[in-house]
Amino acid sequence: MLKQKININNDIVNTQEAVVQIEHLKKSFNGNSVLKDINMILSEGENVVILGKSGIGKSVLIKCIVGLIYPDSGSLKVFNKEIAEMNPRELNTLRTKVGFIFQGNALYDSMTVKENLEFPLRRNKTITDSHIIEGLIVEALENVGLVDAIDKMPSELSGGMKKRIGLARTLILKPDIILYDEPTTGLDPLTSREISSLILNIQGKYKTSSIIISHDLNCAKITSNRMLILHEGVIRAEGKFDELKNSTDEWISSYFKTD
Amino acid sequence: MKLNIKKIFSKKAANENQDEFDFSRFKNIERFLNEIGGLSRFAGNFFCELFRPPYEHKEFLKQSYNIGLSTLPLIGITAFIMGLVLTLQSRPVMVEFGAESWLPGMVSVSIVREIGPVITALICAGKIGSGIGAELGSMRVTEQIDAMDVSGTNPMNYLVVTRVLATTFMIPILVFYSDAISFFGTYVAVNLHGFISFPLFINQAFDSLHYYDLFPATIKTYFFGFAIGIISCYKGYYSENGTEGVGKAANSAVVISSLAIFIIDLIAVQLSEIIHIFSM
Ligand SMILES: Nc1ncnc2c1ncn2[C@@H]1O[C@H](COP(=O)(O)OP(=O)(O)OP(=O)(O)O)[C@@H](O)[C@H]1O
Ligand SMILES: [Mg+2]
């Protein structure tokens, strides 16, 4: 039941357990139906990229996974537990295991970079030893290559740096699942490639499972083990990057046209 | 869990004849009741979070410091002018009745009982309320509150509890400060027309003050502070998306907390009358 049925010829990923399981998920806002019938699985250790046009509901989908938005109906299980049935304490515990990178970074702009990273640690893990906290902060910043920025304010950072600090702030809690909302949008191709390989490194180093939302085909190519295409409220296509790219289906390959 | 009055009414409307009654006029009532319900629930959450660790002493002190620092000059100037003007305005009447020596006492009673607390609270509603509304509003719009939520850091506890506590404890202190400066303004005004020594002035002023002037006046300032804090946090915390929402949040934080101050004042005056009668 937990094994993945699709893509039989893929790598080890498919024999892993599902960490996120979504079945018949529906969500509408004021009568405007955004997600109509979503079925998907995220397996342990896997990077899934979700493609889809702007405004199709990609952000809404991953916000449902962390309980920021509640679906109207359907089942949404994370680590085999239904989100809708969790009490606030359970939800909080879950949220420390699921990292979320916001589309707009959402850095706390009244705090320095260091305080931004310290905040989730201090509030969650009740670590009081400042040496340990310092060590974890430096480790997280080293991971994203921004140790120099430790005392800067978010307003002093460039777009790419903000993205990376956002990533570091998520990594510091050592999450098992990371949800990336358009991690490379608005960045130059070089920086965007750096971020993509960073995502890949994190997957290798911390054995995380990730959902990555992106319009950026290069990012999708580098990071994805599997891809989904979201269209009009349902997952319309699924497969590896190359499979989808070389698909004979006119509609699918239109997502991969560069000109 | 919003009160869905619209649904209830529209159901009724379907049963009766729809043309007879225009239910759109209930829209404002519905919005008003929703607001009251939301605010009460928010205040309930506040009290739940109040005793839940971690306690953010540092953030509380920082907020208190900011509140005090940002309003000190403004309240000082206003309070001084208030004492001065009140004395100058009352003086002719008092002179007419030959009760000039009662002037310090009369002015001090009106400052301590009514004008000091209310004017100070109104200034704070404008200055602090709009600040909190805009700050939390922009944190909501830029998804910073969501980010705190998804990292399990409990923003209600960190952002709201500290700010509401800070306003609740700072406004009484600011009122005390404002009363003191107003007394000084009164002293200056009294001295514009003749001389009265400071000890004598203080003596006259405090002679007319009783504990039943001071006690309710102090208690109600805590409620003023709490109302400013909780209303501004509520408006900011649930501000609608967009920059416009931030402006609206700041604006309605000021308007609603000012209104709440007058309502609390009315209730406080009635209550202290009753208590005073029974304690005689
Ligand atoms: N809180 C909300 N209230 C009402 N409508 C919403 C809300 N959040 C999202 N929507 C609507 O849901 C739809 C999908 O929004 P979403 O942000 O998920 O798009 P997206 O696929 O992430 O687009 P983009 O790539 O531009 O970020 C939009 O039409 C939006 O108007
Ligand atoms: Mg989005």
Side-chain angles (χ1 to χ4, degrees):
Chain A
M1 167 64 179
L2 293 174
K3 307 278 154 114
Q4 192 147 303
K5 298 162 285 191
I6 325 151
N7 295 342
I8 321 122
N9 52 349
N10 277 1
D11 37 77
I12 39 156
V13 159
N14 290 322
T15 58
Q16 301 293 317
E17 275 200 12
V19 286
V20 178
Q21 244 181 324
I22 302 177
E23 281 164 16
H24 305 296
L25 183 116
K26 291 186 184 63
K27 177 71 196 173
S28 54
F29 292 105
N30 310 322
N32 164 31
S33 180
V34 177
L35 302 177
K36 288 174 185 150
D37 186 17
I38 303 285
N39 295 288
M40 66 169 281
I41 281 176
L42 175 69
S43 305
E44 202 179 336
E46 176 188 41
N47 275 356
V48 170
V49 170
I50 300 182
L51 279 185
K53 278 192 274 187
S54 187
I56 209 82
K58 305 183 295 296
S59 300
V60 172
L61 175 61
I62 58 167
K63 279 180 184 170
C64 286
I65 298 175
V66 285
L68 275 181
I69 294 178
Y70 279 90
D72 299 336
S73 67
S75 141
L76 202 170
K77 287 184 190 155
V78 182
F79 299 120
N80 284 319
K81 285 195 90 175
E82 194 70 47
I83 292 271
E85 288 163 9
M86 287 184 182
N87 62 33
R89 250 221 342 268
E90 287 173 318
L91 190 62
N92 244 19
T93 318
L94 173 79
R95 281 167 166 177
T96 59
K97 293 185 198 147
V98 182
F100 194 110
I101 315 280
F102 283 84
Q103 199 164 350
N105 305 317
L107 296 182
Y108 310 133
D109 49 21
S110 59
M111 306 180 193
T112 63
V113 166
K114 187 181 168 195
E115 287 162 342
N116 260 282
L117 299 190
E118 199 181 353
F119 185 72
L121 265 188
R122 193 168 53 80
R123 297 272 307 171
N124 271 312
K125 302 214 159 160
T126 53
I127 301 174
T128 41
D129 189 336
S130 58
H131 288 292
I132 299 178
I133 292 185
E134 186 95 7
L136 287 168
I137 290 174
V138 171
E139 185 196 335
L141 285 176
E142 269 168 1
N143 274 326
V144 297
L146 274 179
V147 184
D148 301 340
I150 189 159
D151 288 321
K152 290 210 164 102
M153 295 300 283
S155 55
E156 298 169 306
L157 303 175
S158 74
M161 287 161 97
K162 280 183 191 160
K163 282 254 146 78
R164 285 193 272 175
I165 297 297
L167 191 52
R169 188 178 67 182
T170 308
L171 283 179
I172 204 159
L173 286 174
K174 305 255 159 60
D176 301 323
I177 302 176
I178 305 184
L179 309 172
Y180 298 88
D181 198 345
E182 311 204 1
T184 60
T185 304
L187 302 178
D188 65 279
L190 210 66
T191 317
S192 144
R193 202 170 315 140
E194 272 173 30
I195 300 256
S196 304
S197 42
L198 194 59
I199 294 173
L200 203 62
N201 283 344
I202 288 165
Q203 183 197 18
K205 192 167 170 186
Y206 295 106
K207 307 284 176 261
T208 54
S209 330
S210 313
I211 296 180
I212 301 148
I213 285 175
S214 188
H215 303 287
D216 180 357
L217 289 176
N218 275 325
C219 169
K221 187 175 179 181
I222 296 172
T223 56
S224 72
N225 301 115
R226 191 158 61 93
M227 292 181 66
L228 306 172
I229 298 180
L230 183 64
H231 184 69
E232 289 182 346
V234 293
I235 305 280
R236 279 282 288 274
E238 172 172 23
K240 289 188 145 198
F241 183 84
D242 291 328
E243 287 169 8
L244 292 182
K245 189 178 180 189
N246 303 325
S247 165
T248 47
D249 191 323
E250 190 73 9
W251 180 82
I252 292 175
S253 54
S254 73
Y255 276 85
F256 294 84
K257 284 207 180 97
T258 43
D259 49 329
Chain B
M1 283 273 200
K2 274 193 166 181
L3 278 180
N4 210 333
I5 287 193
K6 195 163 95 190
K7 244 188 203 161
I8 299 167
F9 278 132
S10 61
K11 241 185 219 162
K12 257 192 181 169
N15 293 337
E16 296 165 10
N17 192 346
Q18 264 182 350
D19 302 330
E20 273 178 21
F21 226 88
D22 178 16
F23 285 96
S24 63
R25 76 175 66 164
F26 286 109
K27 200 121 196 127
N28 282 330
I29 301 178
E30 181 196 348
R31 212 179 307 145
F32 176 72
L33 289 179
N34 268 336
E35 200 83 330
I36 300 267
L39 187 58
S40 319
R41 203 172 45 232
F42 191 71
N45 281 347
F46 164 80
F47 285 111
C48 289
E49 293 296 337
L50 187 56
F51 302 104
R52 188 174 296 169
Y55 306 109
E56 294 283 346
H57 315 279
K58 240 183 171 176
E59 177 72 8
F60 166 70
L61 288 178
K62 186 180 146 202
Q63 293 299 331
S64 305
Y65 180 76
N66 283 345
I67 288 171
L69 199 69
S70 65
T71 49
L72 223 49
L74 190 62
I75 291 179
I77 294 168
T78 321
F80 181 76
I81 295 175
M82 216 162 59
L84 195 82
V85 169
L86 201 60
T87 315
L88 292 178
Q89 295 270 29
S90 324
R91 207 188 126 77
V93 185
M94 301 299 269
V95 169
E96 208 171 297
F97 287 111
E100 203 183 343
S101 61
W102 284 51
L103 194 56
M106 197 210 80
V107 174
S108 67
V109 167
S110 43
I111 285 173
V112 168
R113 285 181 76 151
E114 195 53 42
I115 298 174
V118 171
I119 298 277
T120 310
L122 285 177
I123 293 172
C124 290
K127 184 103 179 126
I128 301 165
S130 62
I132 292 178
E135 189 189 7
L136 293 192
S138 62
M139 286 185 81
R140 166 65 71 192
V141 169
T142 54
E143 297 184 313
Q144 290 176 51
I145 294 182
D146 286 340
M148 288 186 179
D149 243 332
V150 296
S151 54
T153 49
N154 194 352
M156 185 77 193
N157 181 304
Y158 180 76
L159 296 172
V160 176
V161 170
T162 52
R163 280 169 177 75
V164 176
L165 281 184
T167 54
T168 309
F169 286 106
M170 284 311 286
I171 305 259
I173 295 174
L174 289 170
V175 168
F176 187 75
Y177 159 79
S178 147
D179 286 353
I181 303 259
S182 289
F183 277 9
F184 180 65
T186 308
Y187 175 68
V188 170
V190 169
N191 268 306
L192 289 179
H193 300 267
F195 178 74
I196 171 172
S197 73
F198 195 66
L200 180 61
F201 168 79
I202 291 292
N203 209 354
Q204 283 183 356
F206 278 84
D207 244 9
S208 334
L209 284 174
H210 298 279
Y211 83 94
Y212 54 78
D213 292 320
L214 286 173
F215 191 62
T218 312
I219 296 287
K220 75 179 173 191
T221 55
Y222 284 96
F223 284 93
F224 288 165
F226 178 74
I228 293 172
I230 200 90
I231 291 170
S232 313
C233 284
Y234 172 70
K235 291 316 274 181
Y237 201 81
Y238 292 116
S239 106
E240 287 154 28
N241 286 350
T243 336
E244 203 192 330
V246 179
K248 258 192 201 159
N251 193 343
S252 47
V254 175
V255 173
I256 300 176
S257 16
S258 308
L259 198 64
I261 287 165
F262 284 113
I263 294 172
I264 292 170
D265 194 43
L266 182 71
I267 296 171
V269 168
Q270 298 296 327
L271 277 183
S272 60
E273 283 296 308
I274 294 171
I275 292 169
H276 182 47
I277 289 169
F278 276 107
S279 64
M280 273 208 307

